[in-house]
Amino acid sequence: YITTPEHPLELALPSWLTSMTGLGSIKTMANDPNPWESFSIGSDTGNPGYMNIGNLNMRLNNSDSAWNKGTLIFSKQVQNIGTRLYASPYDKEDSKTIFQPFVQHVEMLCRVWERHSNVVAVELLNEPPLTGLPNVFEILRSRRRLWDFHL
């Protein structure tokens, strides 16, 4: 669920499907010999928390047009973290590292907006992706896990 030189941004879809459908295509800056190093964990090239905005190659794949093509949604990184997020309330380790920080973030958002009577809701997941690619059975389970997650 991270992007580093050892774990480059990759699609979870088979190449034959992406070439047939035009879904997703990972872009990198021309002549960049190590596109996923900048801002990656352990590289000392910037705070990894800023990977999405600091790494130019990541920004190429995190634009409106890239989202429309499914570049990030169909990436191995999003497929992995989405699957883990939905199951995290029921997994001891992921509950501690993923679910509890998520809940703390939601609580912080609610505290920020509770004083404003015109705010009636805080949306937690806007259009949550199907996850589990390339495993078809995992995709089907992802919806069930998402509904359980919302409980």
Side-chain angles (χ1 to χ4, degrees):
Y1 57 92
I2 60 172
T3 303
T4 65
E6 295 78 26
H7 300 281
L9 188 65
E10 292 182 77
L11 294 178
L13 299 173
S15 59
W16 63 265
L17 183 59
T18 58
S19 63
M20 275 180 29
T21 61
L23 290 173
S25 66
I26 306 296
K27 295 184 172 117
T28 58
M29 299 289 291
N31 302 318
D32 188 342
N34 202 347
W36 309 113
E37 182 177 37
S38 181
F39 291 87
S40 66
I41 292 174
S43 69
D44 293 326
T45 59
N47 181 342
Y50 298 130
M51 177 67 146
N52 281 340
I53 58 172
N55 183 296
L56 295 178
N57 296 291
M58 187 62 80
R59 287 172 51 195
L60 283 174
N61 297 286
N62 195 9
S63 64
D64 288 344
S65 63
W67 275 99
N68 289 337
K69 291 179 183 174
T71 301
L72 286 182
I73 291 295
F74 295 127
S75 72
K76 289 181 178 179
Q77 286 82 352
V78 168
Q79 292 298 307
N80 182 354
I81 195 64
T83 299
R84 290 181 65 189
L85 173 65
Y86 302 162
S88 67
Y90 313 104
D91 180 274
K92 185 177 179 181
E93 188 170 324
D94 281 349
S95 177
K96 183 177 169 184
T97 59
I98 298 173
F99 183 67
Q100 290 174 16
F102 178 79
V103 170
Q104 289 171 351
H105 177 70
V106 171
E107 288 172 342
M108 184 272 308
L109 288 175
C110 291
R111 281 193 303 277
V112 166
W113 294 106
E114 71 187 348
R115 296 180 301 275
H116 303 277
S117 61
N118 60 325
V119 176
V120 295
V122 175
E123 185 175 18
L124 305 181
L125 294 170
N126 179 16
E127 301 175 16
L130 286 171
T131 62
L133 286 172
N135 184 327
V136 174
F137 297 108
E138 194 62 41
I139 295 169
L140 297 173
R141 277 194 290 228
S142 80
R143 282 294 108 168
R144 169 69 189 263
R145 285 188 180 134
L146 178 62
W147 298 124
D148 290 345
F149 178 81
H150 280 111
L151 296 176

